[in-house]
Amino acid sequence: MNYTTDQNFSPILSCLRQLHEKYRATFDGQVATYIPELARANPQLFGVALVTADGQVYEAGDSGHLFTIQSISKPFVYGLALQQLGIDYVLAKVGVEPSGEAFNSIIFDERRNRPFNPMVNAGAIATTALIHGEGHDRRLSCVLKMFSRFAGRPVEIDRAVFASEKATGHRNRAIAFLERNAGMIDERIEEHLDLYFEQCSVLVSAKDLAVMAATLANNGVNPISGDRAIEERYVKNVLSVMHQLRHVRLCRRMGLSHRSRG
C-alpha cells in the first residue's frame, strides 16, 4: 500500500531534501561514455528517492526522470532465471563467487566451466541466455513483465541506447562467443545478446529503483501494487549475490583482502 506522506512533518523527507540541496551543485566525475548514446545524458539531473517496505514514498529533485537501468538489471534477471529453472540448474550454469576482476573482464571459472557470478558481464550474459521463451519476442516480453512487476508500472526500452549498445558492444560479443565455444550458452548468440542489451536499456527512474529495492526488502511483494514480483524463496539468493559482491568491491577499494570458498 502506498501511504501519503505529510510533506511538512516528515523527518525522512526533510533529510532527503537536505541531502539533495547539499549535493545538487556537485559535478565531480563524468557521464558514462562506454556506450556512445549514454554520453548524451544531462549531468545536471539529480534525484533522490526512498521507498519503505510498507510502501511509504519519499522523493526529492529529479526522481521521476527516466534513464536506462544498465547493470542494475543483472540481479533482477538472475532472480527471473531462478524462478524459471530453480537454484540447482542456474548454479550449474552461473556461479556465485567473486572473480576479483573488473565487471567486463573476460575470465571464467574454468574448473566448473561457468562464469564466476551473475553480476559481471560474462555471468549476466549467461544468465540472460537461460531465460525461457519461444523466440526473442516472448523472452523479451517475459523480461519486461518481470521488471514491470518490480517497478509497479509498465516499463519500456530506450531503443536509441539499445541500438548504440548493440553497435559498440564488441567486448560483450566476444564474451558470448567464448561462452558458446565452451558450451556455457547455446547457439542463439545474437538473440541472447539482443536480449541482454535490451534488458540493460530498460527505462527506469530513481523512484522506480527505490520501489524495486523495497520489493526485495518486502520478500518479493511490491509494496505499492501488492503484486508478487519474485517468489519469496529466491529473494535471499538475489540479495546474497548483491551483498557478497558489494562487500568484495568495498574491500578492494579499502585495500583489504577477501577470500571466498567454493
Side-chain angles (χ1 to χ4, degrees):
M1 180 177 182
N2 183 9
Y3 294 94
T4 301
T5 304
D6 192 315
Q7 300 291 308
N8 297 316
F9 299 100
S10 168
I12 297 177
L13 183 59
S14 176
C15 180
L16 285 186
R17 287 174 173 172
Q18 290 175 24
L19 289 171
H20 182 267
E21 181 66 23
K22 180 178 180 180
Y23 292 107
R24 69 175 181 172
T26 300
F27 294 100
D28 296 346
Q30 298 177 334
V31 297
T33 58
Y34 64 95
I35 299 171
E37 188 68 19
L38 296 184
R40 298 166 58 88
N42 181 357
Q44 296 188 15
L45 291 168
F46 176 39
V48 185
L50 186 153
V51 178
T52 65
D54 62 354
Q56 299 185 65
V57 180
Y58 306 90
E59 302 177 68
D62 302 305
S63 59
H65 181 80
L66 297 177
F67 53 88
T68 53
I69 192 170
Q70 295 302 322
S71 284
I72 302 174
S73 67
K74 294 173 181 176
F76 297 98
V77 175
Y78 178 64
L80 177 60
L82 290 175
Q83 285 207 142
Q84 290 187 339
L85 300 166
I87 183 62
D88 292 336
Y89 186 91
V90 174
L91 190 59
K93 297 293 185 178
V94 183
V96 291
E97 295 291 330
S99 68
E101 302 294 335
F103 75 97
N104 62 347
S105 61
I106 302 179
I107 184 172
F108 305 99
D109 181 350
E110 296 183 8
R111 185 160 63 97
R112 296 183 175 87
N113 195 45
R114 63 185 184 184
F116 278 100
N117 64 74
M119 301 295 280
V120 295
N121 286 9
I125 292 169
T127 300
T128 299
L130 295 175
I131 300 304
H132 274 187
E134 188 174 340
H136 166 270
D137 290 349
R138 290 190 178 182
R139 297 173 72 202
L140 176 59
S141 176
C142 184
V143 169
L144 292 179
K145 287 178 180 178
M146 177 273 294
F147 280 121
S148 296
R149 289 193 297 271
F150 268 100
R153 67 169 188 85
V155 299
E156 298 179 346
I157 292 170
D158 186 322
R159 286 293 168 184
V161 172
F162 163 70
S164 183
E165 189 162 357
K166 181 175 181 177
T168 60
H170 308 306
R171 191 176 185 88
N172 285 330
R173 190 163 279 107
I175 289 172
F177 274 94
L178 285 172
E179 290 180 333
R180 173 55 186 157
N181 182 67
M184 298 179 192
I185 64 175
D186 65 36
E187 69 280 359
R188 298 172 294 169
I189 298 175
E190 291 301 329
E191 181 179 318
H192 297 326
L193 284 169
D194 278 356
L195 190 59
Y196 175 69
F197 294 146
E198 285 168 322
Q199 80 177 47
C200 293
S201 300
V202 167
L203 285 164
V204 294
S205 66
K207 178 188 175 183
D208 290 333
L209 293 180
V211 173
M212 294 166 73
T215 299
L216 289 175
N218 195 35
N219 296 315
V221 175
N222 187 308
I224 306 298
S225 68
D227 296 331
R228 176 163 291 282
I230 182 174
E231 293 179 37
E232 183 175 355
R233 57 178 168 162
Y234 295 125
V235 172
K236 63 180 181 181
N237 300 104
V238 174
L239 293 178
S240 294
V241 170
M242 295 171 69
H243 176 75
Q244 178 190 42
L245 298 178
R246 177 185 178 277
H247 171 73
V248 170
R249 292 186 183 119
L250 180 61
C251 287
R252 292 178 64 190
R253 290 179 183 177
M254 296 173 65
L256 301 175
S257 64
H258 65 271
R259 179 174 62 185
S260 61
R261 298 175 182 173

